[in-house]
């Protein structure tokens, strides 16, 4: 199988590389797993790569230590939301993945949904409410507007952190209390019943390509933090959808990716409504996981790109928003 991107890259041309991992976010543990994998992969193909944890070193050390570019393996706040991207822009150090604006917008699930909704892309109905608005009476009204079950989410977290599927009115307050532990504004989303899907993208603009769609089958349909990173019972299926439907989903994901201004790589998560096979966009990840359980490496492998060469290709795309 011919990979959808060119993999002929001289590792020596990339200079000294910092693999940014760890950080301060709630996803620190996952980031360390991702970064450790990326670091080993880059070193295995001859890149002069070194681990760098922003929680332990000041970012100015990237310049002081002579790094030429950075592979961002940070997840969550500070690493995926435009913060580290802005700092690297200021340092003049090219980095992997999306720029400041796209990273910031995509990290906020509510803002992402507003962009997609305004452009006519399929995404579940939702409400966004601040902490001050979340009185007991208002919380009771949410299922009346969206139906049950309701997905309750802190919109600035990833890896399913703080998310609850509230099946009834009695579960709403607990779900809200949990999510408020992570965010001051919450996202309430119509629950789409059906298969959970993900679709990765490589590249930028018109040249971006969608990788094969993966259907995720987790124990009891609960693809939570535990089933994402800690167990081996979750199934990841390729080719489970009709070819025409898969192509439709890939085109939807490419539109969603381009609308947000993403570049380098990303991964969209979706639900497929069982009753009529309509796909619904949930979110766009601009710094996807690169752990042994992660989905972008699985999709890349399916089109002939192994893990080390995926890391190498992503690193070669590193750049800045600003011109020279």
């Amino acid at each position: 199988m011919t990979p959808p991107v060119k993999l002929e890259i001289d590792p020596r041309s990339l200079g000294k590389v910092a693999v940014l991992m760890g950080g301060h976010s709630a996803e620190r543990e996952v980031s360390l797993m991702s970064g450790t994998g990326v670091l080993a992969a880059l070193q295995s193909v001859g890149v002069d790569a070194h681990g760098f944890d922003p929680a332990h070193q000041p970012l100015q050390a990237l310049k002081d230590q002579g790094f030429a570019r950075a592979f961002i393996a940070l997840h969550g706040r500070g690493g995926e939301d435009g913060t580290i991207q802005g700092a690297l822009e200021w340092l003049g150090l090219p980095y992997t993945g999306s720029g400041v604006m796209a990273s910031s917008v995509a990290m906020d699930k509510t803002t992402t949904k507003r962009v997609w909704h305004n452009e006519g892309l399929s995404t579940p109905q939702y409400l966004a409410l601040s902490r001050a608005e979340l009185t007991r009476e208002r919380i009771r009204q949410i299922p009346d507007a969206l139906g049950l079950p309701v997905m309750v989410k802190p919109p600035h977290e990833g890896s399913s952190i703080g998310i609850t599927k509230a099946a009834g009115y009695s579960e709403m307050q607990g779900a809200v209390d949990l999510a408020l532990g992570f965010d001051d504004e919450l996202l309430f989303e119509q629950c789409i019943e059906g298969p959970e899907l993900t679709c990765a993208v490589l590249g930028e603009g018109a040249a971006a390509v969608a990788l094969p769609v993966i259907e995720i089958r987790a124990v009891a349909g609960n693809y939570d933090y535990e089933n994402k990173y800690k167990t081996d019972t979750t199934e990841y299926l390729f080719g489970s959808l009709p070819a025409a439907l898969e192509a439709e989903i890939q085109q939807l994901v490419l539109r969603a990716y381009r609308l947000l201004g993403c570049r380098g790589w990303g991964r969209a998560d979706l639900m497929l409504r069982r009753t009529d096979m309509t796909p619904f966009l949930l979110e766009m990840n601009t710094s996807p996981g690169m752990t042994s359980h992660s989905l972008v490496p699985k999709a890349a492998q399916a089109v002939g790109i192994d893990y080390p060469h995926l890391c190498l290709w992503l690193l070669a795309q590193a750049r800045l928003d600003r011109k020279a």
Side-chain angles (χ1 to χ4, degrees), residues 33-262:
M33 290 190 285
S34 288
T36 299
V38 170
L39 179 61
L42 291 175
Q43 291 174 339
S44 76
V45 292
V47 176
D48 181 19
H50 307 261
F52 189 101
D53 188 342
H56 296 158
Q57 297 187 71
L59 292 176
Q60 180 61 40
L62 291 167
K63 294 295 285 186
D64 297 342
Q65 295 174 23
F67 286 104
R69 62 182 64 207
F71 191 115
I72 298 177
L74 296 164
H75 307 314
R77 296 174 194 255
E80 198 169 350
D81 60 1
T83 302
I84 195 71
Q85 290 77 10
L88 294 172
E89 290 283 341
W90 184 80
L91 290 171
L93 195 70
Y95 54 91
T96 55
S98 292
V100 176
M101 181 64 74
S103 298
S104 179
V105 171
M107 186 64 191
D108 186 327
K109 296 181 181 69
T110 304
T111 301
T112 296
K113 287 176 68 69
R114 286 173 177 147
V115 172
W116 288 341
H117 182 77
N118 288 342
E119 293 295 329
L121 273 63
S122 176
T123 187
Q125 294 298 310
Y126 68 98
L127 292 170
L129 298 171
S130 68
R131 183 184 294 269
E133 294 175 291
L134 287 168
T135 63
R136 288 190 174 274
E137 182 57 33
R138 187 68 183 93
I139 291 169
R140 284 187 55 81
Q141 294 170 356
I142 293 168
D144 296 334
L146 298 177
L148 286 169
V150 175
M151 302 304 298
V152 182
K153 303 179 178 183
H156 300 97
E157 294 291 347
S159 296
S160 300
I161 291 172
I163 292 178
T164 302
K165 180 180 180 180
Y169 289 86
S170 62
E171 298 178 15
M172 289 294 295
Q173 187 64 57
V176 166
D177 292 342
L178 174 64
L180 284 175
F182 299 94
D183 252 320
D184 285 327
E185 180 185 89
L186 301 189
L187 174 64
F188 299 88
E189 196 171 58
Q190 172 194 25
C191 182
I192 304 299
E193 302 284 6
E196 186 164 357
L197 310 174
T198 195
C199 181
V201 178
L202 300 180
E204 181 176 2
V209 294
L211 298 184
V213 175
I214 302 175
E215 181 182 346
I216 302 162
R217 293 185 183 173
V219 175
N222 186 22
Y223 192 48
D224 57 7
Y225 185 93
E226 187 73 15
N227 283 319
K228 284 181 177 179
Y229 303 113
K230 303 289 188 179
T231 71
D232 293 311
T233 56
T234 301
E235 295 181 87
Y236 304 99
L237 307 179
F238 291 92
S240 63
L241 305 177
L245 178 58
E246 176 156 2
E248 175 190 341
I249 291 167
Q250 289 174 314
Q251 288 305 306
L252 174 64
V253 168
L254 283 170
R255 285 187 63 199
Y257 180 88
R258 291 166 180 152
L259 272 173
L260 297 177
C262 299

Side-chain angles (χ1 to χ4, degrees), residues 6-52:
K6 293 182 179 180
L7 300 175
E8 297 81 11
I9 299 162
D10 179 4
R12 295 169 298 181
S13 69
L14 303 176
K16 185 179 180 181
V17 174
V19 178
L20 305 185
M21 65 177 96
H24 296 283
S25 82
E27 297 182 73
R28 175 178 171 81
E29 180 185 8
V30 179
S31 173
L32 289 171
M33 290 190 285
S34 288
T36 299
V38 170
L39 179 61
L42 291 175
Q43 291 174 339
S44 76
V45 292
V47 176
D48 181 19
H50 307 261
F52 189 101

